[in-house]
Amino acid sequence: MVEQSDVTKEKEEVEMLQEKQVFNELFQQIRKKKEGEEIDSIWYAVYQYFLEKEEWKQTLQNSMKALEYTNIPAPIEKDMIHRLYGDTLKTSISRLEKYSACPFSFYLQYGLKLSTKTKLKVERINTGTFMHDVIDTFFERIAEKQIPLKELSLEDMQAEIEKIVEEKLSIPRNYLFTSTPKYKVLVNRLKKVLLQSIYYIVQSLVESDFTILGNEIEFKQGSKYKPMVLTTEEGQKIEITGKIDRMDIAKTEKGDYIRIIDYKSSVKDLDVNEVVAGLRLQLLTYLEEACKIEEKNPAGVLYFNLIEPVLKTSRNSTKEEIEKEIRKRFKMKGLILADVEVIKKMDTTLQTGASDKIPAYLDKEGNISMGKSSCVTKEQFEYLQQYTNKLIQKIAKEMLKGNITLMPYYKLKDKTTACQYCEYKSICQFNKAGCKNAYRYIPYWDKQVVLENIKEKLGGNK
Ligand code: SF4
């Protein structure tokens, strides 16, 4: 056996490393050439060098193949589009939002119906649906029994929730909950979260002049709230069905006002940048539709957090301080009408300062502080709604054209993308193996700037 000196070994390693660096640079140069750029003639010789070297030949050939590969999906053929959508595109706002997030992932999920295997475990989605169901039933029962909300004690709420949860758990579709040993712990936790959430929902209603107009309202054929029907400029019909968690109403001297409430397991502000990008159309669209049907004015769209709040309090915190902290976590987020009278109808305890129920702040004179509130004027509301309508048509038009481009969003605000939790990563190969894909960047502009842009785009016409 011939021993190799350390010096020779080192020299070989250095050479190998240098070759690797040159090879990588060669690859970049070949890419430039493919894109039409001129490259130095030395790289042709370098290419020949690697091609003739036995240990590099295969790597070079594989790399060349990778350069040829493209994962850019071609649009769907016309007859396939018709088979997928029929004469009328029947869809929901959440699906249009999904399409806006990434058309290709939408196509894989709803066009090809590719989905990962359902795992027999209690996932967020199950608990979310279950909680929505319990809350809906809770308010139905209280309304049937004609119990005024302000007379409901915490004990009454707990007893009713216990009853509803146990009833719902005996329904076969909820057996999934009982199929895990963690069941008891989970159910007890769910009951606790439900009690806390319902308590704050009741509080937000008791301390307001808004009353529930309906829970779990569906926009569908045969219901009071019909599906929305839009027609594109090309004459194609779009039928949009959907459901809202709750709709409230309040009377004022100027007329009646409606607000839409959505129960969510993670609440974020309603960022108008995301509305413009087609990612948050749901609540604004339903509010507009509900206002049209009921012939009322829009008061706002709000998200209510269904969570078990994690508190940052000190050991010396008083009961009142802890209660105040919990309350803050249940403060609703969203977009409301910049109208002091309507705001005070939403929070009857608010005089000045920040409301602990809605995203509103009144200064010392009792005027709305726009910088500290999430408010829009009546005119801005109308522009926003008109814009979302146009956007829905635009998104539907792209779907009907068969556009399934690979273009996930990228939010500059928090650097999140549509790919983060996407189950189709391995299929689409986004930005992998030398593929040239691009994100659709979502800017983070100030609300007023976005609203001005919308107004301009609409030509200043309502
Ligand atoms: S991983 Fe990203 S690019 Fe690929 S389908 Fe999903 S969202 Fe679209």
Side-chain angles (χ1 to χ4, degrees):
M1 192 176 154
V2 182
E3 291 237 337
Q4 199 179 17
S5 87
D6 281 354
V7 179
T8 321
K9 228 165 133 187
E10 246 174 58
K11 192 172 163 257
E12 277 179 10
E13 276 170 12
V14 170
E15 276 173 7
M16 190 65 189
L17 196 70
Q18 284 169 341
E19 274 192 341
K20 203 167 179 236
Q21 282 168 350
V22 176
F23 182 84
N24 287 343
E25 184 53 30
L26 170 68
F27 197 64
Q28 298 305 324
Q29 295 296 324
I30 298 172
R31 190 195 293 278
K32 278 189 191 166
K33 174 79 186 147
K34 282 184 85 65
E35 284 165 5
E37 272 186 56
E38 268 314 306
I39 59 168
D40 198 299
S41 59
I42 184 83
W43 292 108
Y44 294 94
V46 176
Y47 175 83
Q48 203 54 35
Y49 167 82
F50 281 107
L51 196 65
E52 282 165 16
K53 270 202 121 176
E54 209 44 54
E55 63 268 38
W56 281 102
K57 195 176 168 184
Q58 195 59 48
T59 316
L60 181 62
Q61 284 168 346
N62 290 347
S63 305
M64 292 304 286
K65 268 190 215 149
L67 267 183
E68 295 303 323
Y69 172 75
T70 173
N71 63 345
I72 297 168
I76 323 174
E77 301 284 331
K78 260 197 170 161
D79 63 325
M80 176 70 169
I81 299 172
H82 193 260
R83 263 188 280 151
L84 277 176
Y85 306 129
D87 291 329
T88 303
L89 171 63
K90 291 188 179 172
T91 189
S92 65
I93 303 281
S94 57
R95 287 192 181 194
L96 295 175
E97 289 174 344
K98 176 85 192 166
Y99 182 87
S100 301
C102 174
F104 191 61
S105 107
F106 171 87
Y107 172 63
L108 295 180
Q109 187 174 352
Y110 298 107
L112 299 185
K113 298 193 171 30
L114 298 184
S115 73
T116 49
K117 280 178 273 163
T118 312
K119 296 173 195 139
L120 193 65
K121 68 174 189 181
V122 181
E123 292 181 15
R124 218 175 184 178
I125 181 84
N126 306 107
T127 51
T129 313
F130 186 80
M131 284 171 75
H132 272 74
D133 206 8
V134 174
I135 295 171
D136 183 32
T137 312
F138 176 88
F139 284 103
E140 253 173 37
R141 300 254 172 106
I142 299 301
E144 274 164 21
K145 291 179 188 171
Q146 297 184 337
I147 307 173
L149 289 179
K150 60 176 182 297
E151 286 174 20
L152 270 179
S153 68
L154 194 62
E155 290 70 35
D156 293 335
M157 292 181 211
Q158 191 167 13
E160 198 62 58
I161 291 167
E162 281 279 338
K163 220 162 96 188
I164 299 171
V165 169
E166 292 307 326
E167 275 171 30
K168 296 217 177 276
L169 284 177
S170 61
I171 300 171
R173 77 179 141 93
N174 290 323
Y175 280 167
L176 194 61
F177 282 100
T178 59
S179 62
T180 155
K182 291 179 189 160
Y183 155 70
K184 273 194 179 146
V185 181
L186 177 81
V187 170
N188 282 338
R189 224 188 103 208
L190 264 182
K191 284 179 185 169
K192 209 176 133 204
V193 179
L194 275 163
L195 179 61
Q196 215 165 26
S197 300
I198 288 178
Y199 174 78
Y200 284 100
I201 294 173
V202 170
Q203 285 307 302
S204 68
L205 282 161
V206 168
E207 292 173 354
S208 110
D209 283 334
F210 272 82
T211 54
I212 300 177
L213 190 62
N215 288 297
E216 298 270 315
I217 295 173
E218 288 193 70
F219 289 80
K220 60 173 189 184
Q221 293 295 357
S223 127
K224 175 182 176 188
Y225 301 94
K226 301 271 174 293
M228 284 163 251
V229 180
L230 304 172
T231 310
T232 65
E233 283 156 18
E234 288 73 26
Q236 286 159 309
K237 278 209 159 44
I238 314 153
E239 191 179 292
I240 303 167
T241 51
K243 192 154 76 172
I244 47 178
D245 290 336
R246 204 178 91 206
M247 183 153 60
D248 297 344
I249 188 164
K251 289 186 186 307
T252 75
E253 282 174 11
K254 293 175 287 192
D256 297 350
Y257 285 80
I258 281 180
R259 66 176 186 180
I260 304 283
I261 311 284
D262 193 32
Y263 300 130
K264 277 245 172 297
S265 47
S266 108
V267 170
K268 285 193 204 145
D269 288 315
L270 185 66
D271 181 355
V272 283
N273 288 286
E274 291 179 30
V275 174
V276 170
L279 302 177
R280 299 256 225 135
L281 303 168
Q282 207 147 307
L283 297 194
L284 284 167
T285 314
Y286 289 136
L287 177 66
E288 189 197 10
E289 208 50 29
C291 286
K292 261 195 245 156
I293 296 168
E294 297 285 347
E295 295 181 4
K296 309 287 182 224
N297 302 300
V301 288
L302 290 161
Y303 296 105
F304 184 92
N305 224 347
L306 295 181
I307 42 133
E308 192 176 8
V310 181
L311 300 181
K312 279 186 202 150
T313 49
S314 77
R315 265 197 221 159
N316 307 325
S317 298
T318 62
K319 208 178 150 203
E320 288 71 34
E321 283 166 344
I322 295 172
E323 154 80 17
K324 204 173 154 193
E325 269 308 304
I326 301 176
R327 219 170 229 275
K328 262 195 218 161
R329 308 298 158 100
F330 284 102
K331 176 172 170 167
M332 293 186 275
K333 292 184 177 172
L335 209 54
I336 52 175
L337 186 69
D339 181 308
V340 178
E341 193 185 355
V342 175
I343 284 175
K344 285 189 171 177
K345 291 270 172 195
M346 288 203 208
D347 183 355
T348 50
T349 63
L350 182 65
Q351 292 305 318
T352 56
S355 162
D356 57 9
K357 298 173 196 68
I358 51 167
Y361 190 103
L362 299 184
D363 63 20
K364 281 181 195 150
E365 281 76 44
N367 300 316
I368 301 165
S369 165
M370 291 299 271
K372 292 179 179 170
S373 309
S374 187
C375 290
V376 285
T377 63
K378 190 169 181 275
E379 187 196 36
Q380 287 171 332
F381 239 126
E382 285 165 8
Y383 281 134
L384 256 178
Q385 288 176 321
Q386 196 189 345
Y387 183 84
T388 51
N389 249 324
K390 283 194 184 300
L391 198 54
I392 287 172
Q393 294 200 26
K394 199 171 146 201
I395 301 167
K397 202 170 145 185
E398 287 303 312
M399 283 166 76
L400 289 167
K401 261 179 18 196
N403 182 355
I404 51 165
T405 186
L406 199 62
M407 199 174 270
Y409 72 74
Y410 183 104
K411 287 186 216 159
L412 294 172
K413 181 183 175 185
D414 54 12
K415 299 186 175 54
T416 53
T417 81
C419 306
Q420 259 166 321
Y421 303 107
C422 180
E423 53 186 293
Y424 306 119
K425 271 192 199 115
S426 55
I427 300 176
C428 77
Q429 295 288 302
F430 182 76
N431 268 352
K432 295 261 175 67
C435 299
K436 288 193 77 188
N437 305 124
Y439 283 114
R440 182 165 69 103
Y441 290 97
I442 300 181
Y444 181 39
W445 286 335
D446 178 77
K447 187 175 77 193
Q448 292 307 328
V449 175
V450 179
L451 292 169
E452 272 311 305
N453 280 346
I454 290 179
K455 186 175 172 179
E456 221 170 90
K457 275 187 193 156
L458 293 170
N461 302 315
K462 279 184 275 171

PDB file of all heavy atoms in Angstrom, residues 101-102 104-105 108 406-408 418-419 422 424-425 428-430, ligand 1:
ATOM      1  N   ALA A 101     -53.284  34.059  -3.242  1.00  0.00           N
ATOM      2  CA  ALA A 101     -52.073  33.714  -2.477  1.00  0.00           C
ATOM      3  C   ALA A 101     -51.065  32.998  -3.370  1.00  0.00           C
ATOM      4  O   ALA A 101     -49.869  33.267  -3.304  1.00  0.00           O
ATOM      5  CB  ALA A 101     -52.437  32.839  -1.286  1.00  0.00           C
ATOM      6  N   CYS A 102     -51.522  32.105  -4.227  1.00  0.00           N
ATOM      7  CA  CYS A 102     -50.658  31.440  -5.213  1.00  0.00           C
ATOM      8  C   CYS A 102     -51.556  30.656  -6.176  1.00  0.00           C
ATOM      9  O   CYS A 102     -52.141  29.646  -5.779  1.00  0.00           O
ATOM     10  CB  CYS A 102     -49.656  30.501  -4.555  1.00  0.00           C
ATOM     11  SG  CYS A 102     -48.721  29.550  -5.772  1.00  0.00           S
ATOM     12  N   PHE A 104     -50.976  28.605  -8.485  1.00  0.00           N
ATOM     13  CA  PHE A 104     -50.622  27.200  -8.734  1.00  0.00           C
ATOM     14  C   PHE A 104     -51.067  26.309  -7.574  1.00  0.00           C
ATOM     15  O   PHE A 104     -51.592  25.217  -7.781  1.00  0.00           O
ATOM     16  CB  PHE A 104     -49.111  27.071  -8.962  1.00  0.00           C
ATOM     17  CG  PHE A 104     -48.718  25.717  -9.480  1.00  0.00           C
ATOM     18  CD1 PHE A 104     -49.204  25.253 -10.698  1.00  0.00           C
ATOM     19  CD2 PHE A 104     -47.870  24.890  -8.753  1.00  0.00           C
ATOM     20  CE1 PHE A 104     -48.850  23.997 -11.176  1.00  0.00           C
ATOM     21  CE2 PHE A 104     -47.513  23.638  -9.227  1.00  0.00           C
ATOM     22  CZ  PHE A 104     -48.006  23.193 -10.442  1.00  0.00           C
ATOM     23  N   SER A 105     -50.896  26.795  -6.365  1.00  0.00           N
ATOM     24  CA  SER A 105     -51.311  25.975  -5.223  1.00  0.00           C
ATOM     25  C   SER A 105     -52.838  25.840  -5.230  1.00  0.00           C
ATOM     26  O   SER A 105     -53.389  24.793  -4.885  1.00  0.00           O
ATOM     27  CB  SER A 105     -50.774  26.558  -3.919  1.00  0.00           C
ATOM     28  OG  SER A 105     -51.761  27.145  -3.163  1.00  0.00           O
ATOM     29  N   LEU A 108     -53.667  23.102  -7.700  1.00  0.00           N
ATOM     30  CA  LEU A 108     -53.383  21.763  -7.180  1.00  0.00           C
ATOM     31  C   LEU A 108     -54.444  21.337  -6.162  1.00  0.00           C
ATOM     32  O   LEU A 108     -54.889  20.202  -6.156  1.00  0.00           O
ATOM     33  CB  LEU A 108     -52.000  21.727  -6.516  1.00  0.00           C
ATOM     34  CG  LEU A 108     -50.798  21.966  -7.428  1.00  0.00           C
ATOM     35  CD1 LEU A 108     -49.508  21.892  -6.647  1.00  0.00           C
ATOM     36  CD2 LEU A 108     -50.752  20.947  -8.559  1.00  0.00           C
ATOM     37  N   LEU A 406     -47.132  30.193 -11.141  1.00  0.00           N
ATOM     38  CA  LEU A 406     -46.482  29.909  -9.861  1.00  0.00           C
ATOM     39  C   LEU A 406     -46.022  31.240  -9.294  1.00  0.00           C
ATOM     40  O   LEU A 406     -44.956  31.729  -9.636  1.00  0.00           O
ATOM     41  CB  LEU A 406     -45.276  29.020 -10.176  1.00  0.00           C
ATOM     42  CG  LEU A 406     -44.636  28.186  -9.105  1.00  0.00           C
ATOM     43  CD1 LEU A 406     -45.604  27.168  -8.563  1.00  0.00           C
ATOM     44  CD2 LEU A 406     -43.424  27.468  -9.688  1.00  0.00           C
ATOM     45  N   MET A 407     -46.849  31.864  -8.495  1.00  0.00           N
ATOM     46  CA  MET A 407     -46.472  33.181  -8.003  1.00  0.00           C
ATOM     47  C   MET A 407     -47.014  33.427  -6.594  1.00  0.00           C
ATOM     48  O   MET A 407     -48.050  34.058  -6.398  1.00  0.00           O
ATOM     49  CB  MET A 407     -46.950  34.269  -8.963  1.00  0.00           C
ATOM     50  CG  MET A 407     -46.195  35.560  -8.726  1.00  0.00           C
ATOM     51  SD  MET A 407     -46.593  36.805  -9.908  1.00  0.00           S
ATOM     52  CE  MET A 407     -45.384  36.487 -11.145  1.00  0.00           C
ATOM     53  N   PRO A 408     -46.302  32.877  -5.610  1.00  0.00           N
ATOM     54  CA  PRO A 408     -46.767  33.076  -4.232  1.00  0.00           C
ATOM     55  C   PRO A 408     -46.518  34.501  -3.757  1.00  0.00           C
ATOM     56  O   PRO A 408     -45.593  35.150  -4.238  1.00  0.00           O
ATOM     57  CB  PRO A 408     -45.903  32.091  -3.443  1.00  0.00           C
ATOM     58  CG  PRO A 408     -44.656  31.952  -4.243  1.00  0.00           C
ATOM     59  CD  PRO A 408     -45.037  32.131  -5.688  1.00  0.00           C
ATOM     60  N   ALA A 418     -46.628  32.729   0.945  1.00  0.00           N
ATOM     61  CA  ALA A 418     -47.660  31.701   0.787  1.00  0.00           C
ATOM     62  C   ALA A 418     -47.047  30.311   0.878  1.00  0.00           C
ATOM     63  O   ALA A 418     -47.743  29.328   1.123  1.00  0.00           O
ATOM     64  CB  ALA A 418     -48.338  31.875  -0.565  1.00  0.00           C
ATOM     65  N   CYS A 419     -45.736  30.215   0.690  1.00  0.00           N
ATOM     66  CA  CYS A 419     -45.079  28.893   0.657  1.00  0.00           C
ATOM     67  C   CYS A 419     -44.860  28.314   2.053  1.00  0.00           C
ATOM     68  O   CYS A 419     -44.691  27.100   2.185  1.00  0.00           O
ATOM     69  CB  CYS A 419     -43.724  29.001  -0.038  1.00  0.00           C
ATOM     70  SG  CYS A 419     -43.826  29.742  -1.660  1.00  0.00           S
ATOM     71  N   CYS A 422     -47.338  25.694   2.835  1.00  0.00           N
ATOM     72  CA  CYS A 422     -47.938  25.051   1.661  1.00  0.00           C
ATOM     73  C   CYS A 422     -47.501  23.596   1.581  1.00  0.00           C
ATOM     74  O   CYS A 422     -46.328  23.268   1.720  1.00  0.00           O
ATOM     75  CB  CYS A 422     -47.535  25.801   0.397  1.00  0.00           C
ATOM     76  SG  CYS A 422     -48.245  25.073  -1.070  1.00  0.00           S
ATOM     77  N   TYR A 424     -47.573  21.800  -1.034  1.00  0.00           N
ATOM     78  CA  TYR A 424     -47.183  21.395  -2.394  1.00  0.00           C
ATOM     79  C   TYR A 424     -45.755  21.782  -2.754  1.00  0.00           C
ATOM     80  O   TYR A 424     -45.394  21.771  -3.925  1.00  0.00           O
ATOM     81  CB  TYR A 424     -48.167  22.003  -3.415  1.00  0.00           C
ATOM     82  CG  TYR A 424     -49.600  21.667  -3.107  1.00  0.00           C
ATOM     83  CD1 TYR A 424     -50.527  22.667  -2.840  1.00  0.00           C
ATOM     84  CD2 TYR A 424     -50.022  20.344  -3.059  1.00  0.00           C
ATOM     85  CE1 TYR A 424     -51.838  22.358  -2.533  1.00  0.00           C
ATOM     86  CE2 TYR A 424     -51.329  20.030  -2.744  1.00  0.00           C
ATOM     87  CZ  TYR A 424     -52.233  21.053  -2.488  1.00  0.00           C
ATOM     88  OH  TYR A 424     -53.520  20.742  -2.179  1.00  0.00           O
ATOM     89  N   LYS A 425     -44.973  22.107  -1.750  1.00  0.00           N
ATOM     90  CA  LYS A 425     -43.590  22.540  -1.994  1.00  0.00           C
ATOM     91  C   LYS A 425     -42.821  21.558  -2.864  1.00  0.00           C
ATOM     92  O   LYS A 425     -42.116  21.934  -3.786  1.00  0.00           O
ATOM     93  CB  LYS A 425     -42.864  22.669  -0.647  1.00  0.00           C
ATOM     94  CG  LYS A 425     -43.001  24.011  -0.020  1.00  0.00           C
ATOM     95  CD  LYS A 425     -42.024  24.115   1.138  1.00  0.00           C
ATOM     96  CE  LYS A 425     -42.463  25.223   2.047  1.00  0.00           C
ATOM     97  NZ  LYS A 425     -42.876  24.844   3.361  1.00  0.00           N
ATOM     98  N   CYS A 428     -44.110  21.760  -6.643  1.00  0.00           N
ATOM     99  CA  CYS A 428     -43.876  22.938  -7.497  1.00  0.00           C
ATOM    100  C   CYS A 428     -42.403  23.277  -7.689  1.00  0.00           C
ATOM    101  O   CYS A 428     -42.036  23.895  -8.660  1.00  0.00           O
ATOM    102  CB  CYS A 428     -44.623  24.142  -6.947  1.00  0.00           C
ATOM    103  SG  CYS A 428     -43.806  24.870  -5.526  1.00  0.00           S
ATOM    104  N   GLN A 429     -41.563  22.856  -6.730  1.00  0.00           N
ATOM    105  CA  GLN A 429     -40.120  23.139  -6.832  1.00  0.00           C
ATOM    106  C   GLN A 429     -39.832  24.632  -6.995  1.00  0.00           C
ATOM    107  O   GLN A 429     -38.964  25.027  -7.763  1.00  0.00           O
ATOM    108  CB  GLN A 429     -39.519  22.364  -8.017  1.00  0.00           C
ATOM    109  CG  GLN A 429     -39.556  20.868  -7.856  1.00  0.00           C
ATOM    110  CD  GLN A 429     -38.556  20.367  -6.825  1.00  0.00           C
ATOM    111  OE1 GLN A 429     -37.372  20.588  -6.945  1.00  0.00           O
ATOM    112  NE2 GLN A 429     -39.059  19.711  -5.794  1.00  0.00           N
ATOM    113  N   PHE A 430     -40.589  25.454  -6.271  1.00  0.00           N
ATOM    114  CA  PHE A 430     -40.414  26.906  -6.360  1.00  0.00           C
ATOM    115  C   PHE A 430     -38.967  27.308  -6.053  1.00  0.00           C
ATOM    116  O   PHE A 430     -38.442  26.948  -5.004  1.00  0.00           O
ATOM    117  CB  PHE A 430     -41.382  27.607  -5.405  1.00  0.00           C
ATOM    118  CG  PHE A 430     -41.312  29.100  -5.455  1.00  0.00           C
ATOM    119  CD1 PHE A 430     -41.874  29.787  -6.504  1.00  0.00           C
ATOM    120  CD2 PHE A 430     -40.669  29.824  -4.460  1.00  0.00           C
ATOM    121  CE1 PHE A 430     -41.804  31.169  -6.564  1.00  0.00           C
ATOM    122  CE2 PHE A 430     -40.603  31.206  -4.502  1.00  0.00           C
ATOM    123  CZ  PHE A 430     -41.180  31.874  -5.566  1.00  0.00           C
TER     124      PHE A 430
HETATM  125  S1  SF4 B   1     -44.912  26.115  -2.311  1.00  0.00           S
HETATM  126 FE1  SF4 B   1     -45.276  28.273  -2.792  1.00  0.00          FE
HETATM  127  S2  SF4 B   1     -45.041  28.423  -5.002  1.00  0.00           S
HETATM  128 FE2  SF4 B   1     -45.278  26.263  -4.529  1.00  0.00          FE
HETATM  129  S3  SF4 B   1     -47.481  25.873  -4.798  1.00  0.00           S
HETATM  130 FE3  SF4 B   1     -47.118  26.344  -2.653  1.00  0.00          FE
HETATM  131  S4  SF4 B   1     -47.474  28.524  -2.445  1.00  0.00           S
HETATM  132 FE4  SF4 B   1     -47.208  28.095  -4.640  1.00  0.00          FE
END
